[in-house]
Amino acid sequence: MEKYDVKKSHKALYAPGSKDFSLVEVPAFRYLAIDGHGDPNASTEYTEALESLYATSYALKFRSKKERGRDYVVAPLEGLWWAENMAIFTAADGAARDKASWDWTMMISQPEWITSEQVAETAELLAAKKELPGLARLRVAELQEGFCVQILHRGPYDDEGPVLARLHREFMPAHNLRFNGRHHEIYLSDPRRSAPEKLKTILRQPVAPAGGAERAAAAGGSAPSS
């Protein structure tokens, strides 16, 4: 049985280079998603979100293999991040990034054959067996980002600021681009098993041509729809 792997099926989206920014067209993906607020390093809400996302994703995988004979690799964790002052994301000093003010949507993409009904049933079964507070906030979301700029960041999360500053202040103005969605990160490494300097994170920004009536009012963009 061949396993479906979103990273292999959409290699251009999950294997960018780390030197130069690349432009990609991102199709619609369906996700398990949980919204929250606050510093991911200190927020119980964040920990609960990740526990529920992974528990549900793996339960759906095992159910798909057993009931439909279709196996797949659980997709990497992804996150949308925003704040009232988006400039904090480009700060070179990690302490200046003011993580307590961050809003986020943590997500794991699902194969197209996983239905909303299966998600609801699986979450209900999990809730009956385990203490997973985050399940109460779990939802199915679709995100269609379209035209995006992305790059692979190697190293600690707090070192992303200068890379994002280059994207926002150099690459986007030079290519006449504006923000068209929320800052998106895709985590290819497990921080529990990888040294900070070896972490691999895709930094993605939805964009659109600048100018005209469609000029963005802010960098925040829109959240994925339920």
Side-chain angles (χ1 to χ4, degrees):
M1 181 189 301
E2 184 176 354
K3 288 186 178 181
Y4 169 77
D5 187 340
V6 69
K7 300 186 303 298
K8 293 180 179 179
S9 295
H10 298 276
K11 189 173 181 180
L13 305 181
Y14 287 89
S18 59
K19 182 178 179 181
D20 299 318
F21 294 106
S22 56
L23 296 166
V24 293
E25 185 71 27
V26 183
F29 284 100
R30 293 177 74 251
Y31 292 89
L32 298 184
I34 297 179
D35 306 311
H37 175 84
D39 185 344
N41 298 316
S43 169
T44 300
E45 194 176 68
Y46 182 83
T47 302
E48 292 174 349
L50 266 55
E51 289 174 345
S52 295
L53 287 170
Y54 278 116
T56 309
S57 292
Y58 276 98
L60 287 165
K61 164 192 164 66
F62 297 138
R63 180 177 177 182
S64 175
K65 183 177 180 180
K66 180 180 179 180
E67 297 180 2
R68 303 191 59 171
R70 302 187 73 173
D71 197 7
Y72 59 92
V73 177
V74 171
L77 180 70
E78 306 188 24
L80 304 178
W81 301 88
W82 69 102
E84 185 174 345
N85 176 18
M86 287 299 293
I88 61 176
F89 287 96
T90 59
D93 179 5
R97 302 187 81 194
D98 188 22
K99 296 175 185 176
S101 70
W102 292 3
D103 290 295
W104 42 262
T105 298
M106 304 312 297
M107 316 181 295
I108 297 179
S109 71
Q110 303 297 310
E112 53 86 21
W113 66 84
I114 298 298
T115 68
S116 297
E117 290 74 21
Q118 289 173 323
V119 172
E121 292 169 2
T122 302
E124 186 176 350
L125 289 171
L126 283 172
K129 295 178 180 179
K130 299 181 179 181
E131 186 68 26
L132 292 169
L135 286 176
R137 296 182 286 130
L138 183 73
R139 63 191 178 93
V140 176
E142 182 174 290
L143 181 63
Q144 185 164 6
E145 293 176 298
F147 195 43
C148 295
V149 182
Q150 62 181 29
I151 194 169
L152 178 66
H153 170 68
R154 299 178 185 269
Y157 302 132
D158 280 338
D159 289 352
E160 294 173 4
V163 181
L164 295 175
R166 275 200 302 127
L167 170 62
H168 297 177
R169 300 168 190 167
E170 298 176 22
F171 185 88
M172 288 177 62
H175 292 79
N176 196 36
L177 298 171
R178 62 170 174 84
F179 294 98
N180 193 38
R182 288 174 175 163
H183 171 61
H184 187 168
E185 299 190 354
I186 302 170
Y187 306 101
L188 302 180
S189 305
D190 185 341
R192 299 169 299 177
R193 301 176 182 176
S194 301
E197 64 273 13
K198 294 185 178 181
L199 292 173
K200 297 180 181 180
T201 308
I202 299 173
L203 307 181
R204 180 182 293 167
Q205 178 59 57
V207 293
E214 296 181 346
R215 182 177 298 277
S222 58
S225 59
S226 298

